[in-house]
Amino acid sequence: MASMGSAVPMFRSLAPRLARDFFTCRQCLATQPLNSATKSAFRKNFSTVPSAFNARRVNATSIQSSARQAFSSSVKRWTSGSAVANAVEEGASKAKSSFPQVTDKKVAYWLLGSAVSVFGIVVFGGLTRLTESGLSITEWRPVTGSLPPMNAEDWESEFSKYRDSPEFQLLNPNMTLSEFKSIYYMEWIHRLWGRFVGMSFVLPAIYFVARKQVSKPMALRLAGIAGLIGFQGFLGWWMVKSGLKDDLFAPGSHPRVSQYRLTAHLGAAFVCYVTMLWNGLAILRTHRLLADPEAGIKLLDSLRNPQLKIFRRSVAGLAALVFTTVISGALVAGLDAGLIYNEFPFMGNGLTPPKSELFDERYSRHEDRSDLWWRNMLENPSLVQLDHRILAMTTFSSIMALWGYTRGSATMKRLLPRAAKKGVHGVVAFAFMQVGLGISTLLYLVPTPLASAHQAGSLFLLTWTLVLGSRIWHPSRTAKLLQMAAKARSQAVSRAAVHAHKA
C-alpha cells in the first residue's frame, strides 16, 4: 500500500500533460495544426511510453501483413537445403562427433575434378606405353625427378643410362639424342602428372578434414584414396623396373614390362578413379535429396521396392564385368596380344585358335602341368586375346539384355526413375562405341590413336555404368539423414508459425 501511495504522485504528474492533447481525435489532429509546445509534449510522452503500448495502436491490417511476412521468411529460411542440412547437424549432435553428418558440396566438386585428372593420366599413360616411352627414365626420384635435364650434360647422363637398358640395346640401338628426348618427355610428363594428382588430392583432403567439412565416413574414405594414390606411384615404378631387367623373359623376346605389373598399375588407377567418382556423385546426391526431404524420402522408398533389387544387382554386376574386361585388356596390352589374329570375329580358320595353341605346354613351369590352365590364360597371347574377346562380347550382351529388360518389362517402366532410364541409354551408347573402337583397333593393327581411344572408351563406359548405379542405389545413411531432416523441417515450420503469431 505504501508503494502504491508513493506511485500516485507520479501518475498524477503525468495526467495533466496527457489530458488535452493526447486524447484529441485523429481528424482534429489532421485539420488543426499543433503548436510547438504540443509537438514537444507528444515527442516526450511517446518516448517514455512502453513499446508494447505503441504496438497496440497499430491497426489490424498492418499486424496481419507483418505476420504473413515473418511466417513466409521463416519458412523459406528453415526449408532451404542448407538450413535442412544444418537442422540435421543439430539433430545429430547427440553423436558427440566433431565431424558433420553431411559432407560439404565443395568436396564433391573437388572429388569429381580429381577423377577427371585421373581419367586424363590413365589415357596419357596408355599413350606413353603405346609410344614405348615408359622405359626412357631408368630411375625413380620422386622429388629430384620433378625437373627434367636442364643442360647438355644432364641430357647426356640420362641418355647414357638409357643406353644400358635392354630396350635400347635390342630395339633402339640407333636412337639419337633428339629422339630420346621425345620419349623422355612423354614419360616425364606422365610422372609429373602423377605427382600433381597426389598433391592436388592430399593437400585439399587435409584442409577439408581439418576444417571439418567432411563427414567421418568420408574422412576415412579420403584417407584410403590418398593411400591408394601413394601405392599407385610405387606400382608405377615397380612396373617400370620389370622392363629394365633382361632376365624377366626368355632370350630374344621383346623387352617390355611385366604384364602382371602393368595390369596391377592400371587396375589400381581404375579403382582410384572409381572411388573418387562414386563418392563425389554420392555427396551431390545427398545434398539434392536433402533439399526436399519429403520428396527424397518418397524417391528412396520407391527404390526400396523388392522388384528393383534385381535391376540394382544387375547394374552392380555389370560394373564388375566392365572392370574385369578392362583388366583383361591390360593383359592384352602387356603381351602385345593385339598384334596377332587381326580379324573379327574369326581367329584364323575358326572362331577360336586350335586347342593345342590355346593351352601350350611351353607356358607351364611345373612338371605335373598343374599350372597349364592359368599360365596360358595369363601369359599365352592367343588365349589372352580370346579371353578378352569373350569378356567384351559378354559385357556387350549383358548391356543389351539390361536395356531390353528396362524396355520390355512393365514393372521396370513403372518403377524405374526417369533419370535411370536415361542412364541405361547412355550405357548402351558407350557400349556400341567401345565395341566399334575395339574391333577397329584390332583390324588396323593397333594404331596409336585408335588404341588410345579404345582405352578412353573403357573409362567412359565404366563411368556411365557408375552414374547409372548412383541413380538407382539406396543409400541407407542418407535415408536416415532424410528422416532427421523431415522431422527437423516440421519442427522448424511449427516454430516459425509460433514466432509469426507472437509477432
Side-chain angles (χ1 to χ4, degrees), residues 12-48:
R12 186 179 299 164
S13 62
L14 291 173
R17 287 181 287 178
L18 297 174
R20 179 176 299 178
D21 295 327
F22 185 75
F23 296 101
T24 304
C25 67
R26 294 183 180 180
Q27 295 179 353
C28 295
L29 288 175
T31 58
Q32 299 178 2
L34 299 178
N35 55 34
S36 58
T38 303
K39 292 179 180 179
S40 63
F42 266 93
R43 284 195 296 268
K44 181 177 180 181
N45 288 316
F46 273 101
S47 64
T48 58

Side-chain angles (χ1 to χ4, degrees), residues 292-352:
D292 190 350
E294 285 79 10
I297 292 174
K298 184 178 179 180
L299 175 61
L300 292 189
D301 286 343
S302 67
L303 293 179
R304 293 183 63 183
N305 192 306
Q307 293 176 321
L308 281 177
K309 185 180 295 184
I310 297 177
F311 181 83
R312 192 158 42 243
R313 291 180 176 177
S314 299
V315 174
L318 180 61
L321 187 58
V322 172
F323 182 80
T324 304
T325 307
V326 170
I327 294 301
S328 72
L331 290 173
V332 172
L335 293 171
D336 292 327
L339 297 176
I340 59 174
Y341 292 113
N342 300 104
E343 52 193 347
F344 188 86
F346 297 101
M347 297 181 70
N349 296 325
L351 292 175
T352 65

Side-chain angles (χ1 to χ4, degrees), residues 2 20 45 87 122 136 139 161 180 203 217 245 280 291 325 359 362 376 400 407 419 439 444 494:
R20 179 176 299 178
N45 288 316
V122 169
S136 58
E139 294 177 338
K161 296 173 185 176
F180 169 73
L203 294 181
K245 298 179 180 180
T325 307
F359 297 98
R362 291 178 299 174
N376 274 275
M400 298 309 299
R407 298 285 293 179
I439 295 175
Y444 288 97
S494 301

Side-chain angles (χ1 to χ4, degrees), residues 45-74:
N45 288 316
F46 273 101
S47 64
T48 58
V49 174
S51 59
F53 185 75
N54 268 337
R56 295 191 188 97
R57 295 180 57 83
V58 181
N59 58 58
T61 303
S62 63
I63 291 178
Q64 294 175 358
S65 177
S66 61
R68 283 195 298 268
Q69 293 177 358
F71 180 78
S72 177
S73 61
S74 299

Side-chain angles (χ1 to χ4, degrees), residues 17 41 70 72 94 140 156-157 164 215 275 287 311-312 347 350 365 391 414 422 427-428 435 445 448 452 468 472 485:
R17 287 181 287 178
S72 177
K94 296 180 182 180
W140 188 38
E156 186 58 38
S157 175
D164 293 334
S215 63
T275 53
H287 279 274
F311 181 83
R312 192 158 42 243
M347 297 181 70
R365 300 181 185 178
L391 284 170
R414 178 173 53 88
K422 291 182 178 180
V427 172
V428 171
V435 169
L445 297 176
T448 299
S452 180
L468 172 60
I472 50 92

Side-chain angles (χ1 to χ4, degrees), residues 80-101:
S80 64
S82 58
V84 170
N86 292 334
V88 172
E89 299 300 329
E90 295 176 2
S93 59
K94 296 180 182 180
K96 297 181 180 180
S97 174
S98 58
F99 289 94
Q101 292 293 322

